[in-house]
Amino acid sequence: MTPAQTEINTRESRFSRFVRRTWKPLLVVIVVLVVIHGIATMILGRRFEAEVRTLKAQGEPVSTAELGGPKVPDDQNAAVVYAKVFYLLKEKETRESSATMENLLKSVGAIPSKKKIDVVWTDVNTAAQVYRQVVPVVQEALSRPKCQFPVNWQSGPEATFPHYAYFRNLTRMLSALAVVDAHDGKLDDAYTKIELAFQVAKAAKDEPILISALVTISCTQTANGALQAVLKYGQPSSLEALKLNNMLSDTDFRREWANGIKGERAMGLWMFNYLLQRGAAGYGSLMHQMDGREEPSAAQRVLLQTVSALWRPMIYADAGYYLRYMAANVASSEKPYRTVTLQEKNTEGMLAKLPRYAILTRTLAPIFTQGSAKVDEARANTGLTQLLLAALQYKSHNGAYPETVSQLRSTSSWDIPMDPFSGKEFVYKRTSKGFVAYSIGTDLKDDGGRPVKTGKDYDKGGDIVLDWER
């Protein structure tokens, strides 16, 4: 036997002895790990299922199928008529007519003087004719008790909501038409258009998804600005003013925001169930659906599929973190922004402490504080308009604006809300020609009535101001 063969045999002998000595301990370790993995999967899985059952027992949506609700018959469904409105807009609207009406709204601002309206009214009236044709169809839609659009909720993150863009456009056009009517001295028609704009703004408010709440807020803000503009042209009757005040009071942005967060949680649960069905390989497909990332390659899919069984308890653990994070957000969703900011550090702390394997929770868990601020901004703007309507009625009966909000409140049976950012009365000051009223805004401090700025100066603070002169 050659030295090389002797060396090979020696190596084989050592390896054989190593295998004989270690295979049993290795087998025991593998069996123990498999048992631990199985127990962890079972415990975490049962805990996740129990948390979902608890939510369901509380009446909360836990699947995307529940978000759509029972089907509404066509003869009761406003969405069927809105589809006709959207078709008419698409068929008759031109880029020029849309731009003209948009410029009108931008030029009037929230509370314009007539001199500030710098559009050419012949162009406005021409553009307005395009949109007046849809008004009777909008009124028909609003006469129906429910509104349910054909959203494929079961597709999870691939669900689309094209009607939101149409609602934004429709609310803007109705608001612009109201300004046109007011400019032409047709105040009754103008206030009718404002009412329609507010109703259209709330058409999709019951769709339990955050984008629905944000669209409702955006559309209501547009209608609210147009109402303040129309009030410059002439005061509504007492009955019309009360009607408008009640419409503003009936807008519950907080409830819609809370429902939106619950809907987002159901969407998140859809994604976790997707991963539980497809294993680790589902991460790549899910990220592709959510933000367009490239699908994993064939080799990556094989690798991910190989580790799927091992990763299952991590998915359950990740889902547990997600449910706890969303529970904190749901709990705070109906609270005003001024209290939510105190919880922001706790929420950020929850995210900072997430383990690395909580991949989906990190992806799905934004900070909701900014959205909560938008809710209270809308509440402040509508509240200031309610104060304005009441102050105008006060002046019509007493010949002058009230000296204080307390004086106004004591003589009016109308709902005059508090400043959502301070929890106190809006700051109110009489002026020689009217009054200034304001909310302290998102910086939660009184900036003396300095209006909040937009764009790059937004973070510098400021107040949400109603400066009324008439």
Side-chain angles (χ1 to χ4, degrees), residues 264-329:
E264 293 292 332
R265 180 173 58 189
M267 282 285 187
L269 288 172
W270 180 96
M271 296 180 201
F272 279 106
N273 285 318
Y274 180 90
L275 289 183
L276 290 169
Q277 293 170 10
R278 300 206 176 190
Y283 277 109
S285 298
L286 198 54
M287 294 303 108
H288 175 72
Q289 292 181 48
M290 291 175 64
D291 57 20
R293 295 184 204 178
E294 290 186 6
E295 288 270 19
S297 65
Q300 289 173 325
R301 281 197 297 270
V302 170
L303 177 61
L304 289 169
Q305 201 62 50
T306 302
V307 301
S308 283
L310 297 175
W311 199 257
R312 194 171 184 81
M314 304 299 184
I315 297 174
Y316 278 127
D318 191 356
Y321 283 111
Y322 176 73
L323 286 175
R324 286 189 286 279
Y325 175 80
M326 292 304 291
N329 282 288

Side-chain angles (χ1 to χ4, degrees), residues 206-224:
D206 293 326
E207 290 186 353
I209 201 77
L210 282 183
I211 189 174
S212 172
L214 293 172
V215 167
T216 300
I217 288 171
S218 174
C219 291
T220 303
Q221 294 276 58
T222 298
N224 189 63

Side-chain angles (χ1 to χ4, degrees), residues 81 84-85 88 129-143 170 174 177 192-193 196:
V81 184
K84 299 177 184 177
V85 176
L88 283 171
Q129 299 310 312
V130 174
Y131 301 102
R132 292 193 190 283
Q133 300 173 57
V134 307
V135 171
V137 192
V138 172
Q139 291 172 319
E140 180 188 349
L142 292 171
S143 69
L170 184 55
L174 288 168
L177 285 176
T192 296
K193 304 291 193 312
L196 293 178

Side-chain angles (χ1 to χ4, degrees), residues 141-154:
L142 292 171
S143 69
R144 299 198 174 189
K146 296 183 179 180
C147 185
Q148 184 186 70
F149 282 86
V151 176
N152 184 13
W153 293 99
Q154 294 182 339

Side-chain angles (χ1 to χ4, degrees), residues 396-417:
S396 69
H397 289 97
N398 298 283
Y401 292 112
E403 293 295 331
T404 64
V405 176
S406 297
Q407 184 183 41
L408 177 61
R409 194 182 293 277
S410 66
T411 59
S412 175
S413 60
W414 289 12
D415 179 24
I416 304 172

Side-chain angles (χ1 to χ4, degrees), residues 88-118:
L88 283 171
L89 286 175
K90 190 175 181 180
E91 182 183 48
K92 298 181 180 298
E93 185 179 52
T94 65
R95 182 176 298 178
E96 291 74 19
S97 64
S98 177
T100 298
M101 301 302 268
E102 287 283 357
N103 288 335
L104 170 62
L105 283 179
K106 290 177 183 177
S107 65
V108 298
I111 308 177
S113 65
K114 296 177 185 179
K115 294 179 181 178
K116 289 184 180 178
I117 300 178
D118 55 4

Side-chain angles (χ1 to χ4, degrees), residues 338 409 417-427 438-440:
R338 64 181 183 275
R409 194 182 293 277
M418 299 287 191
D419 177 4
F421 287 105
S422 67
K424 303 174 183 178
E425 297 280 15
F426 288 108
V427 180
Y438 61 88
S439 159
I440 63 172

